[in-house]
Amino acid sequence: MGNDGLIHREESGKLRVIDVNKTFTGGRQNLAVLANVNIEINKGDFVCILGPSGCGKTTLLRCIAGLEKPDSGEILLGPNSVRGPGPDRIVVFQDFDQLLPWKTVKENVAFPLKVNQKASRDKIRETVNRNLTLVGLDEFENYYPHQLSGGMKQRAAIARALAANPEVLLMDEPFASVDSQTRTSLQNELIRIWEKFQPTIVFITHNIEEAVILGSRIAVMSSRPGTIRKVVTNGLPRPRTVITAGFSEIWNELHNLLVNN
Amino acid sequence: MKNKFINRVIFIIVLSVLWEGTVRSGFFPKAERLFPSLVDIFGALAEVTLSGELFGLMGYSLYLICIGLLIGLVLALVLSILAISSQTLASFVDTAVTIMHPLPGIALLPLAILWFGIGREPIVFIIVHAILWPMILNILAGFRSIPALYREVGQNIGLSGPRLAISIMVPAAFPYLLAGFKIGWARAWRALIAAEMIFGTSGTQGGLGWFIYQQRYFINISGVFAALIVIMVIGILIEDILFGFIERKTVKRWGMTA
Ligand SMILES: Nc1ncnc2c1ncn2[C@@H]1O[C@H](COP(=O)(O)OP(=O)(O)O)[C@@H](O)[C@H]1O
Ligand SMILES: [Mg+2]
């Protein structure tokens, strides 16, 4: 790539996954998980990655986060190659236990700001308050994580991720383990946050409905070893529900892509 | 908590009555020489308390144990953090623990005397030896129990190296650290009293262990028992009240248990 003699100015903030391969070598056999994954995500885009469970979605996200190293290929954020984890790409995990149990909700949200020492005390206070209000946890700021419900923990994790002010928000099925009512309100909050701050979001899900509700574009993955089969553009007007006109057409298209693997 | 306290009080009262009954029954001739009456024991206790001698003894013992615990804790943390940051250092620390852990502190006395002479230093040395190895074992078990997720959250927001260790690893392993510190305290307290009986005799200052030794020398058995009571009471106070308090403020509040 890039051998045509021209120097391209990378579009700023664009996330590019180029020919990424990943095989886990555990025990006696090797497991090919990602095979030539390619995808480009523009700054401010909300992309869902949809695929059957076990197809390598989490592995792909962890490669982008720098928590896992691809065997070959490259991941670029803007002009920079991803070499390891960093606060420009914050992950919201599926696991409720991602909050640090020895810190209150408030301290968890303030943690990325304190670590990176970019802000004054007042500024930290202000950002924490704003983010907690945004996810509706302002009354729980002094609670410890073990005192929160699963949905509240995920809200706090989102508030913490936003506090790091990342270029890309990487979300690995963060709402998969909450009840459906809570999931709907979390989805709505996430859209509001995205519309307000326009971070790039890569949102992983195995749930077609969730992908249609959330994504501006939806990348469908094949079963293992995962590749991107197709990227479907989703121009449905927001806010979306299952009865929004056009919902079922996109749902069917995605369903067919998943089934005809 | 309340119930536990009441049970203990009842138990102590029953024990005291049995003790006093045995002494006064005259069942064992000369019993008062070896098993003094509670009146004599508390008399001796009152005497050392009122003269202020007790506070000097306690202060000296607690001073030594605090120094020993501090040195032991810092060394244990440093060695454990080194052990988790490098495979080579891990096997080095592992070997050191395997060799040193089963070695009774008292067996090191001749060496301690040769190296430090007689005074505070050999006592602190024995205390550090008593607590260092079990604390390293606990801290390492704690570090190894940390879910990968916490470390990844730390790395994700930009932490690495020693900052990751201090901000994530140490608090995440805190239940184990506290358990290790409790074991360390109990072992240090025993090691201190034993070591004082041997080293505390030469200087002008001494602690509770030295006091016991001295009372035995003067065949003042009530004084020996008075010191034993003080040692037990301090042990109970630290274990129940101090560690109970720390647990309530930390692991219990955080919903973390080892
Ligand atoms: N660290 C690992 N070592 C070995 N195999 C792994 C590892 N992580 C994931 N896998 C395997 O890779 C496959 C894809 O996993 P994952 O990326 O978690 O899929 P998904 O998130 O799409 O469900 C699974 O079969 C899983 O067992
Ligand atoms: Mg997954």
Side-chain angles (χ1 to χ4, degrees), chain A residues 155-218:
Chain A
R155 289 190 158 94
I158 292 172
R160 179 177 68 188
L162 291 174
N165 195 22
E167 284 188 56
V168 184
L169 207 51
L170 301 167
M171 309 187 80
D172 188 4
E173 310 204 37
F175 310 148
S177 312
V178 299
D179 63 272
S180 64
Q181 225 174 320
T182 309
R183 185 180 312 142
T184 304
S185 59
L186 281 165
Q187 287 166 350
N188 291 335
E189 273 163 31
L190 182 61
I191 303 246
R192 262 201 354 256
I193 288 166
W194 175 67
E195 285 174 338
K196 190 162 174 188
F197 300 107
Q198 295 285 318
T200 310
I201 297 183
V202 181
F203 189 103
I204 281 180
T205 180
H206 66 263
N207 181 324
I208 303 177
E209 186 183 311
E210 184 165 65
V212 182
I213 298 267
L214 293 176
S216 301
R217 292 197 305 148
I218 298 151

Side-chain angles (χ1 to χ4, degrees), chain A:
Chain A
M1 37 157 271
N3 52 6
D4 54 359
L6 291 170
I7 298 165
H8 296 284
R9 254 185 80 130
E10 300 297 341
E11 207 179 311
S12 78
K14 191 174 205 168
L15 177 67
R16 306 205 298 166
V17 177
I18 303 159
D19 288 332
V20 162
N21 287 278
K22 178 78 190 172
T23 297
F24 283 113
T25 47
R28 272 174 286 122
Q29 75 234 43
N30 295 345
L31 192 71
V33 177
L34 297 176
N36 282 315
V37 173
N38 281 284
I39 188 168
E40 290 203 355
I41 296 170
N42 288 324
K43 188 173 166 61
D45 215 354
F46 194 141
V47 172
C48 285
I49 294 181
L50 177 68
S53 84
C55 76
K57 303 182 296 294
T58 294
T59 306
L60 174 59
L61 195 88
R62 290 172 59 82
C63 286
I64 299 173
L67 294 169
E68 210 81 67
K69 199 179 170 316
D71 298 332
S72 64
E74 198 172 18
I75 296 169
L76 295 164
L77 179 56
N80 304 317
S81 191
V82 166
R83 296 255 175 270
D88 52 344
R89 288 151 287 126
I90 292 287
V91 184
V92 177
F93 297 89
Q94 176 174 351
D95 201 325
F96 291 160
D97 290 333
Q98 63 193 295
L99 298 176
L100 304 175
W102 59 90
K103 289 181 184 290
T104 60
V105 168
K106 184 170 65 181
E107 290 162 352
N108 264 287
V109 176
F111 192 41
L113 292 161
K114 293 211 168 123
V115 163
N116 296 300
Q117 287 171 340
K118 279 188 295 208
S120 67
R121 257 163 169 253
D122 289 345
K123 184 83 185 112
I124 291 177
R125 186 69 261 196
E126 196 186 306
T127 309
V128 169
N129 284 341
R130 184 202 68 187
N131 289 0
L132 286 177
T133 310
L134 218 51
V135 297
L137 279 184
D138 34 350
E139 284 175 33
F140 298 92
E141 59 171 24
N142 291 319
Y143 279 51
Y144 282 90
H146 76 105
Q147 299 169 307
L148 303 179
S149 69
M152 289 158 90
K153 286 180 187 171
Q154 298 308 75
R155 289 190 158 94
I158 292 172
R160 179 177 68 188
L162 291 174
N165 195 22
E167 284 188 56
V168 184
L169 207 51
L170 301 167
M171 309 187 80
D172 188 4
E173 310 204 37
F175 310 148
S177 312
V178 299
D179 63 272
S180 64
Q181 225 174 320
T182 309
R183 185 180 312 142
T184 304
S185 59
L186 281 165
Q187 287 166 350
N188 291 335
E189 273 163 31
L190 182 61
I191 303 246
R192 262 201 354 256
I193 288 166
W194 175 67
E195 285 174 338
K196 190 162 174 188
F197 300 107
Q198 295 285 318
T200 310
I201 297 183
V202 181
F203 189 103
I204 281 180
T205 180
H206 66 263
N207 181 324
I208 303 177
E209 186 183 311
E210 184 165 65
V212 182
I213 298 267
L214 293 176
S216 301
R217 292 197 305 148
I218 298 151
V220 182
M221 279 178 83
S222 68
S223 54
R224 202 182 58 231
T227 58
I228 306 287
R229 284 172 66 94
K230 190 173 179 194
V231 181
V232 176
T233 301
N234 177 4
L236 295 184
R238 297 176 191 270
R240 301 166 181 161
T241 67
V242 288
I243 54 162
T244 301
F247 186 98
S248 48
E249 283 78 358
I250 296 194
W251 193 96
N252 279 325
E253 183 183 358
L254 296 171
H255 181 71
N256 289 335
L257 280 165
L258 279 179
V259 171
N260 303 327
N261 241 319

